[in-house]
Amino acid sequence: MFKPVTININFPQLEEEILHYWKKNKIFEKSVEKEAPKGEWTFLDGPPFVTGMPHYGSLLSSLPKDLFGRYFTMKGYKVRRVWGWDGHGLPIENKVEGELEIKSKREIEEKIGIDTFIKRCLHYVNQVSDEWEWYVDHIGRWVDFKNAYKTWNMDYMESVMWVFKQMYDKGFIYKGLKVSLYCPHCATPISNFEVAMDADNYKELVDPSTTYKYELRTENRERRTKDGEPRTYFLAWSTTPWNKINTPVLAVNPKLSYVKVKQGDDYYILAESTLKSVIASKAKQSSEEEIATLPSAPLNDEEYEVIEKMEGKDLIGKKFVPHYDYYKDRVKGKAFEIIGGDFVTADEGTGIVTIAAYGEEDLKVMREQGVYIETHLDEEGTVKADVPLFGGMYYLKANKAVNEDLQKRGLIYSNKDYTHRVPLCWRCHTRLYYAPIDAWYVNVQDLKAKMKTTNEKVNWFPKHFKHGRFEKSLENAPDWNISRNRYWGSPVPVWECECGERFVPGSIKELEEKSGKKVTDLHKPDIDTITVSCNTCGKEVHRVSEVLDSWIEAGSASFAERHYPFAKGNPPLKSFYPPDFIAEYTGQIRAWFYVLHVIANILDLRKDGDNMLARNVLVEGVILGTDGRKMSKNFKNYPDPKEMLQKYGGDALRLYLLSTPVMNGEDIIISEDHYKQQVRSTMLILWNVYNFFITYANLDGWEYGTENGPACRPASTRPNRGEQGREPRAENVLDEWILALLHNLVTDVTTSLDRYDTVVAIEAIKSFVTDFSTWYIRRSRDRVGSSADDAGDKDAFYRTTYHVLTTLTKLMAPLTPFLSESIYTNLTGEESVHLAEWPMSGDLRSENGELLHDMILVRKIVEIALSQRKNAQKKVRHPLASLSISLENPLSPKLHQLIKEEVNVLEVYEKKGMFAVELDTETMTPELEALGQARDIVRKIQ
């Protein structure tokens, strides 16, 4: 006998029982340890930050990792599933700053002390909430929490040190002055891809858009100034007034055409193509607000006259009068003159640009042409104290002060508002600016061709990301800034001497041997007490001050999670690297996926060329709040995930998310209605079929393995899994049809999951469950129970339904692990569906393929006939004389009988010609009336 089930099922309560069963019987552990004839299938888990609580986005990322872990386990692979925690970097430091009420980086050293700050960071990451485990359990994810790897543990950090050493030795790491995005609050550079991860890392702001006047310096300038003669100005456009404090040169494009125009009493030089946008519309560019704040602005719209035309190359070398020259006494190199640059365009502005050290192209051309480099901001974005007029001002506050000063001096030609998107710090959300930073970089430029080649070996799902967003990110990537001027992170493992000699250890042992000291902690400040002797000059050498960007830790996860290459007992590299599978949301295309690929290609560990981020990459979209914005507790725009899990269960969440476009890399809006619909539309339908089977099988005393009767067999004599997976012999046309449909389902689900396409797999299962219930079970109800008179047909129904249910629950096990476990274990008496073998599909016989086609036609005929009944107001329980159908090819008599029973007619006639269905609603005989009255009596009795 099967264990009875209730029709009033509470799925969350059922899932709690299954969770208890799994833990009590160590089913997860057994799935990892079970025989794996196909070897190892590996996935790399992108670990979440220890900060915050799980939300739908973090839960989503867990679902495919669990699904495919279960799937490949059932297919005969060994799947290692270890959780990880990401706990270094700015996210943790920002949290600890909040706890300590620290307002700036400077306060860490001056008010708290680095040692205390590091200890508080360590304390914070070690207080990971148990809530995470509750959520992970209740979405049905199997993962080893007990042995979770942590990025702040010594073993992990040592592997990161080894990765850095490999990259350094191969010549891909260098130190240099480059312009990077910079956060003045965190006082550290930020990688471009950290900002590009999410749209919320950008904000639309209004800045001044100013055209500045730089006077041409000539030999007789002083005399002309004294006599009040006309002056000549270069017009240069900019949106960063704070940067005008320090503008040593202006740049023109040597190939552009420029003009000198006379307007009023002065002359202006600018690109010819910008005349109409700059000169002719000057008055229109100034708003009423700007007129009020800048009362002395020249706002006339006077006519202008082109005096002279020239090429950009003719302007190179000409001198101009700087707006501010406080640094003139220390200038070495070019300053206060015009230089040439091909990057200058006339698309916006004047075709003349201001050049300072705070721009990527600016710094590049300055270094190439020997321009003097001056910086005027400190590490917190404040103008340095020795700068006249503006010293001590925050750079954004200096914007207004600079423009007001220049306006009073007559050095602003026009001013207007300029709305644009600006980057924000991905952790503290402070506005970023570009700054010249002396930092450690990975040379990505020399790696791009190789990375594009190895990307060709990667299977991306969806495929368009392969040559779309990912390849574009490779093409446009700058060199990777991998150092941070912070505290809580893996150290940059470089000991650099004043003489230029460097010591770069690749292991703790190597560092201990060189320093003669025991290394007990790789964090600051302990690691900074370790010194070594310079091989060249013999001086004591200290480590450089920076820590590594936490993304280098994320990119090293394939090795560091296993403490490779140091841990004993590690399997061969090729057995786990590159990983077979990784999955994350679209933001990680430019972040985690990218850094994994960079490191894989630099290390070049696989001699067969398989050096890539992973063999298979699944990209999920973003889950938005109910209002279409990013989910936020402040907006209250999403249902509480814990409440929803307690209300509808983890299987429903899995079916919901795994079947949406979010699994095709598209964004979706979270919907409680769609969530709970999974219960009604699929889970409850399947449960009702299961309940129907159990109820009648128990009433008839049927158990799998018996023939034509109720001879129940004890569990010890039940057939093994192989026997249970064997397809029963089918004679009833409905049995033939559902088994053929099941065969197609096995093929479709297997093919879809092999492609990492969960949406198609779930669509196929949902369609099958509906057909199974609304057609097969409904049409087979008369085959069971006390009214059924054919014991053989009854047994055939039970055997077929049993086979379908056990096979279907295997197919659904990776998708709905709780429901599948409950049904399968009760039906089979086995320990777990997740320890079972994945169903195999043989060749579908041609006649069964025809049957599937014919059954679609039968159901269409029935639908049309029932519609005709409804229009004629003839109740279905009242028999009608006949139904005529016109078909190109005849249907089998078995299918005629189905149509008769479903439409409730005495005869079905077929004829050739165009497809048509005609129900006889006019003929009414005493026999038909008697049959209808009998049906009414039976209905009332029932």
Side-chain angles (χ1 to χ4, degrees), residues 615-629:
R615 300 187 189 284
N616 301 282
V617 180
L618 189 153
V619 184
E620 307 139 10
V622 177
I623 303 178
L624 303 172
T626 51
D627 56 1
R629 293 186 291 179

Side-chain angles (χ1 to χ4, degrees), residues 308-351:
E308 180 183 355
K309 292 187 179 182
M310 63 206 82
E311 291 185 6
K313 64 181 180 181
D314 300 324
L315 297 173
I316 294 173
K318 292 187 179 296
K319 304 290 184 177
F320 67 87
V321 180
H323 289 167
Y324 305 99
D325 61 359
Y326 66 93
Y327 52 91
K328 63 181 180 180
D329 292 336
R330 54 180 179 264
V331 167
K332 294 180 180 179
K334 291 181 182 178
F336 314 140
E337 65 179 81
I338 306 295
I339 64 171
D342 292 337
F343 62 90
V344 179
T345 71
D347 295 340
E348 56 183 353
T350 66

Side-chain angles (χ1 to χ4, degrees), residues 77-137:
Y77 293 88
K78 180 179 180 64
V79 182
R80 176 180 179 269
R81 285 170 261 181
V82 178
W83 186 263
W85 290 112
D86 197 348
H88 269 155
L90 284 175
I92 309 304
E93 291 200 31
N94 289 157
K95 291 290 185 181
V96 174
E97 284 177 347
E99 290 181 353
L100 297 175
E101 298 183 349
I102 293 174
K103 303 300 182 184
S104 69
K105 177 188 171 187
R106 184 178 303 168
E107 291 184 5
I108 294 175
E109 295 188 19
E110 297 178 357
K111 185 177 177 180
I112 302 298
I114 296 176
D115 188 39
T116 300
F117 185 73
I118 293 295
K119 287 178 180 176
R120 289 297 296 266
C121 289
L122 181 61
H123 175 77
Y124 182 88
V125 296
N126 284 331
Q127 302 303 308
V128 177
S129 174
D130 291 337
E131 286 284 295
W132 268 96
E133 193 164 351
W134 186 93
Y135 282 93
V136 171
D137 278 348

Side-chain angles (χ1 to χ4, degrees), residues 507-526:
S507 68
I508 292 173
K509 181 181 178 183
E510 188 178 351
L511 177 57
E512 289 178 335
E513 291 175 347
K514 179 67 174 174
S515 67
K517 298 177 182 178
K518 182 70 176 175
V519 177
T520 58
D521 192 352
L522 289 172
H523 288 106
K524 293 169 73 74
D526 291 25

Side-chain angles (χ1 to χ4, degrees), residues 40 60 67-68 98 111 163 181 186 202 265 283 290 318 342 433 468 522 535 547-548 558 606 690 719 867:
E40 194 157 352
L60 168 66
L67 185 162
F68 290 105
K111 185 177 177 180
V163 168
L181 280 171
C186 300
Y202 290 88
D265 293 330
E290 288 161 347
K318 292 187 179 296
D342 292 337
Y433 62 88
L522 289 172
N535 288 338
V547 296
L548 287 170
S558 295
R606 291 289 299 255
Y690 167 58
S867 177

Side-chain angles (χ1 to χ4, degrees), residues 66 98 290 330 350 394 402 418 485 495 624 812 934:
D66 180 76
E290 288 161 347
R330 54 180 179 264
T350 66
Y394 189 58
V402 169
Y418 177 68
N485 302 99
W495 277 253
L624 303 172
M812 294 181 67

Side-chain angles (χ1 to χ4, degrees), residues 850 853-854 857 861 885-892 895-896 910-915:
E850 293 174 6
H853 174 270
D854 288 349
L857 189 59
I861 292 168
I885 52 178
S886 298
L887 298 172
E888 185 176 347
N889 297 309
L891 295 173
S892 73
L895 294 176
H896 278 204
E910 271 195 51
K911 55 185 178 181
K912 284 273 190 180
M914 296 291 291
F915 176 76

